Amino acid sequence: MSAETGSAAPVLAATDLVIEYSTRNGPIRSLDQATLTVGSGQIVALVGESGSGKSTLGMATGRLLASNAVYAGGLLSVAGRPVYGPGAQGGEGLRALRREVLAFVFQNPVAALNPTMRIRRQMELAGPAGREARDGSSAAEALGEVGLTDVPRVLRSYPHELSGGMAQRVGIAMALRRRPRLLIADEPTAAVDATLRAQILNLLVSQCRDQGCALLLLTHDLHAVAQHTEQIAVMYGGRMVEHGPTAEVLGRPMHPYTRALVAALPGEERPGRRLEAIGGVPPVLHAGCPGCAFAPRCPDALPNCRDVRPADAAVAGRTLTCHLHPGEIGDPSAAPNDAGRPRATEAGRRHLDKEQEAAR
């Protein structure tokens, strides 16, 4: 991990991060050597089924995990400041990191607000210190920037007096008041009406771009990801399995799990065919997975997939963790073939042949 700090460092850098939860049935491993980098100002989506580790990674950035969470290895830094690993921030350093660098938008906007305080007071507490914090006009301007119209009424309201969409806009305004460098948005449209989801995501992304704030969007909504993000990281079993440009990963997924997610997306089924549900269930890990966690559900699994852990490989401009794509950039096995596709193993070629046959 680089020792760089400030603007020269990635705004988020996780390397082989391991987080477990202590339970009465033994430890449950949520992050199993998770690795992810988010650059300054990037808009990145983190996708995967429930239980894949998305929320754990998001909350780990500010060390906001549940009390039974246990750090078990690896490194995580935010804007060059260690959060987990050697030299990890604590006390005032951690509070300063949360105050100056990080912001969060949560799934349930009403529950994320203090039910005993009016919105004006919460906006003041979330804003900069000093005179501006006592000036209601700055809070009103922040609410106006997120598209709220009856701002005086909103400022006088308690959270329960707002609709889900209004409360989420308030949450976004509060999160961005201090001009953070990284915003973690955990399913920010889960609790709002379907007609408002596109508006909320458009607002969130546009506000982050205007401020130069990096956004890590944790979501199940691949349609929203395709429209609003530049990079996508696919997570399974506590590990990144595919990471690259959003349009390329969703348009031509390489990892079997990414292909399964895209095939199960409503609207992607071929005429006259049903959606292709992913067979089996996500794993519950009590220790590190010795091989690929997706192997029991993978139609193209090789004999060594269950027992040998695949290494990260750079293939066709993205990062893959899969035995089907072992080549690295500069390695002849990763060179394009005559059809312009990267070479893969025999099982990978069989899958590509099946794709061509289905397309015909």
Side-chain angles (χ1 to χ4, degrees), residues 6 14 21 45 48 73 92 139 164 173 194 201 235 245 308 310 335 351:
Y21 290 97
E92 179 54 35
L201 281 174
M235 197 168 195
V308 179
H351 172 77

Side-chain angles (χ1 to χ4, degrees), residues 5-360:
T5 59
S7 59
V11 73
L12 170 63
T15 305
D16 295 333
L17 185 63
V18 180
I19 299 289
E20 298 178 341
Y21 290 97
S22 297
T23 73
R24 64 182 63 185
N25 297 318
I28 300 296
R29 180 163 291 197
S30 181
L31 297 181
D32 188 22
Q33 296 185 331
T35 297
L36 178 67
T37 300
V38 178
S40 180
Q42 276 193 323
I43 309 295
V44 179
L46 183 57
V47 303
E49 294 170 278
S50 296
S52 61
K54 303 188 305 296
S55 293
T56 295
L57 181 58
M59 294 302 99
T61 59
R63 232 158 69 205
L64 296 173
L65 296 170
S67 59
N68 65 329
V70 178
Y71 163 68
L75 305 171
L76 187 146
S77 65
V78 175
R81 308 184 195 182
V83 177
Y84 287 105
Q89 301 281 310
E92 179 54 35
L94 183 59
R95 288 191 290 273
L97 178 71
R98 295 167 177 166
R99 182 174 61 245
E100 299 167 5
V101 180
L102 284 168
F104 295 85
V105 174
F106 299 100
Q107 291 187 37
N108 190 330
V110 176
L113 298 171
N114 189 324
T116 68
M117 287 186 185
R118 296 183 190 273
I119 298 303
R120 178 187 294 275
R121 180 55 179 157
Q122 298 190 55
M123 291 291 293
E124 290 171 351
L125 291 173
R131 180 177 179 180
E132 186 181 2
R134 299 187 294 272
D135 183 0
S137 64
S138 62
E141 290 169 2
L143 292 180
E145 289 175 358
V146 296
L148 289 168
T149 52
D150 192 0
V151 172
R153 183 183 75 80
V154 173
L155 287 170
R156 293 193 305 269
S157 299
Y158 288 96
H160 73 272
E161 297 175 310
L162 304 178
S163 69
M166 294 173 71
Q168 194 61 290
R169 289 173 188 267
V170 170
I172 293 170
M174 290 175 62
L176 293 172
R177 282 209 72 192
R178 286 184 177 270
R179 298 296 192 264
R181 291 192 58 196
L182 173 63
L183 175 62
I184 309 294
D186 189 357
E187 296 285 0
T189 61
V192 301
D193 187 271
T195 58
L196 294 176
R197 288 175 186 168
Q199 295 179 25
I200 294 294
L201 281 174
N202 278 327
L203 170 66
L204 188 60
V205 171
S206 64
Q207 289 285 306
C208 285
R209 284 180 173 150
D210 288 346
Q211 295 191 16
C213 172
L215 172 64
L216 182 61
L217 176 64
L218 319 181
T219 183
H220 293 88
D221 190 346
L222 293 187
H223 284 302
V225 166
Q227 297 172 24
H228 294 96
T229 65
E230 303 154 359
Q231 294 275 321
I232 184 172
V234 182
M235 197 168 195
Y236 187 84
R239 226 185 160 198
M240 306 305 158
V241 297
E242 186 164 2
H243 184 191
T246 300
E248 295 179 19
V249 170
L250 295 183
R252 187 169 152 267
M254 290 184 173
H255 195 281
Y257 179 62
T258 312
R259 292 199 303 265
L261 279 182
V262 172
L265 185 65
E268 296 301 314
E269 68 275 18
R270 296 180 184 277
R273 296 187 181 182
R274 296 183 178 182
L275 285 174
E276 299 180 24
I278 306 175
V281 295
V284 176
L285 301 177
H286 296 279
C289 180
C292 174
F294 189 61
R297 305 171 73 186
C298 180
D300 294 323
L302 301 171
N304 63 339
C305 285
R306 291 176 182 265
D307 304 318
V308 179
R309 192 153 188 161
D312 294 341
V315 180
R318 67 188 80 173
T319 301
L320 284 164
T321 307
C322 181
H323 288 303
L324 295 173
H325 302 276
E328 297 186 357
I329 290 176
D331 190 318
S333 63
N337 60 18
D338 293 339
R341 298 186 301 245
R343 289 193 175 94
T345 61
E346 182 59 32
R349 283 192 288 272
R350 287 199 304 270
H351 172 77
L352 295 173
D353 290 341
K354 286 191 290 184
E355 279 188 332
Q356 286 184 325
E357 183 178 351
R360 288 196 294 267

